[in-house]
Amino acid sequence: MPDASRRTRLLAVLKTVTSQPLPDDDEESLFESGLLDSFALPDLVSALEREFSIKVPDRDLNPRKFDSIARMEAYLAEHAA
Amino acid sequence: MYMPPRVVTNAEIAARVDRTEEWIENVSGIRERRWADPETSVADLAVAAAEDCLSRAEISAASLGMIIVASGSARAGFPGPAAEVAARLGLDSTPALDVPMASAGSLFALVMASQMTTHFGDVLVIGAEKMSAVLEAHPLDPNTAILFGDGAGAALVSARPGRWEVLDSVLHSDGSFRDALAFNWNSPLRMNGLSVILQATRKLPSAIEEVLARGNVAVGDVPVFLLHQANQNLLMRVAKSLGVPSERVYSNVGRYGNTSSASLLIAAAEWSRENPAAGPVIFSAFGAGLHWGALLARPRE
């Protein structure tokens, strides 16, 4: 079930780590599109942890889990309260 | 320490990988690196660094109880470079151990040596890398060719009073990300930069904080952090995570690039020549494996 509030908060977090406009397609790779680079990703994960009061364990620090808006929503749906 | 004399500028690399000098410096902080001649081996680099270290410590190779050579870029097969290094230092029965580990190898060797001195006596730890051979073994990949350099560093670890006293250390490994950074001579160096940086930005500060907490040392009381010189942006990120000014994280990556397992000892050698030992010092590294950790030392009183 999509969570509108979670999505709004996710998009707000994304806007804090990139100055580029977010893609219309939720499945688009944020790395391949150049929206996120290798040093923005750690910032993004830290910002998600703060916003959603979660701790992303090191075993989950896989770029694929944070590759697109859809994948981040799926991760948060599973791990965020 | 020993650095090969040939300076390879960003202009030279940029021309070979179809990138600009500015791009290389922006993504890595590296302006130049040293590449050894094709005939130079990892053992050649290691022997030069070992001789420099022994000379500065004013001891002879014959007094060593053990030699450890950390290198991820020595040619595959056996024996590894340690036996050759020992032989070329004139030793014919001193145990010589290889640590075939990239980037974190010299940290692991330092920690092992600090535990071995009571049994073996003085241990000479050497980190030596010829990463140019790794790069040149296959067509250059812009994402890795810009980063790596050659060189060697060495440190004497002794049970006798020396400049620094090792207080504590932590080492960790996690093989579940072993494919993120890997090389064998049959195929090009593979590096998932996103994954490596994501892991390193967490694991380096975490290991440093772990060893500081165990030693009851405040991060603000550490005047210098000697880290594996992977990338200037990563060094800055670690400083930010620790909450310390970036100038406390020693950096020579701009001049030497990433010399893998040699970089920690090269950084330590340069820093210690330029600065008096004052207050506790952190050594920390992260690399392929994944392997990572930190070592806490303080000036001997």
Side-chain angles (χ1 to χ4, degrees):
Chain A
M1 186 75 177
D3 182 324
S5 164
R6 184 192 299 128
R7 179 182 173 80
T8 304
R9 290 160 69 196
L10 167 61
L11 298 181
V13 167
L14 266 172
K15 286 175 184 167
T16 66
V17 296
T18 179
S19 53
Q20 297 185 41
L22 302 181
D24 296 329
D25 180 0
D26 281 3
E27 304 287 342
E28 182 176 328
S29 168
L30 303 179
F31 305 119
E32 287 173 17
S33 66
L35 192 118
L36 291 178
D37 64 22
S38 50
F39 283 96
L41 181 57
D43 284 341
L44 171 65
V45 174
S46 297
L48 290 174
E49 288 182 328
R50 285 193 301 272
E51 174 63 27
F52 293 95
S53 302
I54 56 172
K55 172 67 183 164
V56 178
D58 281 11
R59 66 176 175 278
D60 284 352
L61 291 178
N62 184 330
R64 287 185 187 174
K65 291 183 187 290
F66 306 95
D67 185 42
S68 65
I69 291 170
R71 288 187 174 185
M72 279 186 269
E73 278 200 275
Y75 186 86
L76 292 170
E78 193 175 338
H79 296 91
Chain B
M1 60 177 277
Y2 173 76
M3 303 306 294
R6 189 165 95 80
V7 173
V8 176
T9 62
N10 282 353
E12 182 176 341
I13 298 285
R16 290 185 60 184
V17 299
D18 195 24
R19 294 290 190 277
T20 65
E21 295 172 60
E22 294 72 24
W23 178 79
I24 296 173
E25 187 162 351
N26 281 343
V27 298
S28 67
I30 296 165
R31 298 181 299 279
E32 60 187 39
R33 72 288 291 146
R34 306 293 180 91
W35 281 13
D37 294 334
E39 315 79 57
T40 302
S41 68
V42 164
D44 292 334
L45 299 169
V47 168
E51 288 173 340
D52 177 58
C53 181
L54 292 172
S55 166
R56 289 171 185 275
E58 299 180 334
I59 70 162
S60 69
S63 70
L64 295 173
M66 176 175 265
I67 288 176
I68 307 179
V69 178
S71 180
S73 58
R75 281 277 168 187
F78 56 81
E84 180 182 343
V85 171
R88 288 171 58 182
L89 292 175
L91 307 175
D92 59 10
S93 66
T94 305
L97 174 68
D98 287 295
V99 176
M101 191 185 281
S103 300
S106 52
L107 176 74
F108 273 60
L110 276 178
V111 171
M112 286 194 292
S114 70
Q115 301 297 316
M116 292 164 114
T117 54
T118 50
H119 185 72
F120 289 99
D122 290 353
V123 181
L124 183 65
V125 175
I126 306 162
E129 299 280 15
K130 193 181 179 195
M131 292 302 293
S132 62
V134 169
L135 300 172
E136 300 261 35
H138 302 277
L140 289 186
D141 173 350
N143 293 313
T144 54
I146 64 168
L147 296 176
F148 294 103
D150 303 340
L156 183 69
V157 182
S158 173
R160 292 177 286 107
R163 185 170 189 188
W164 285 329
E165 177 184 11
V166 175
L167 293 182
D168 198 5
S169 55
V170 295
L171 296 178
H172 299 289
S173 298
D174 178 3
S176 37
F177 292 92
R178 62 191 177 279
D179 292 333
L181 183 53
F183 174 73
N184 67 62
W185 293 95
N186 297 323
S187 52
L189 173 63
R190 293 199 316 271
M191 185 178 76
N192 180 337
L194 285 167
S195 192
V196 170
I197 288 169
L198 190 52
Q199 292 287 332
T201 53
R202 290 291 180 109
K203 287 180 161 62
L204 283 166
S206 169
I208 291 168
E209 287 165 352
E210 181 184 358
V211 79
L212 287 173
R214 281 171 34 157
N216 202 24
V217 174
V219 68
D221 291 338
V222 178
V224 67
F225 296 81
L226 300 169
L227 267 59
H228 163 49
Q229 304 285 301
N231 178 314
Q232 181 62 31
N233 296 330
L234 178 61
L235 297 178
M236 307 273 282
R237 180 59 56 118
V238 171
K240 185 179 165 191
S241 294
L242 293 172
V244 300
S246 56
E247 56 270 22
R248 287 205 193 170
V249 176
Y250 185 78
S251 174
N252 59 16
V253 69
R255 289 180 283 123
Y256 298 145
N258 177 339
T259 57
S260 190
S261 276
S263 83
L264 183 67
L265 296 178
I266 294 168
E270 281 204 338
W271 181 82
S272 66
R273 285 174 199 181
E274 296 161 3
N275 299 278
V281 173
I282 285 284
F283 294 73
S284 185
F286 167 96
L290 305 170
H291 302 295
W292 71 100
L295 180 151
L296 173 63
R298 70 178 174 195
R300 183 83 68 167
E301 290 175 359

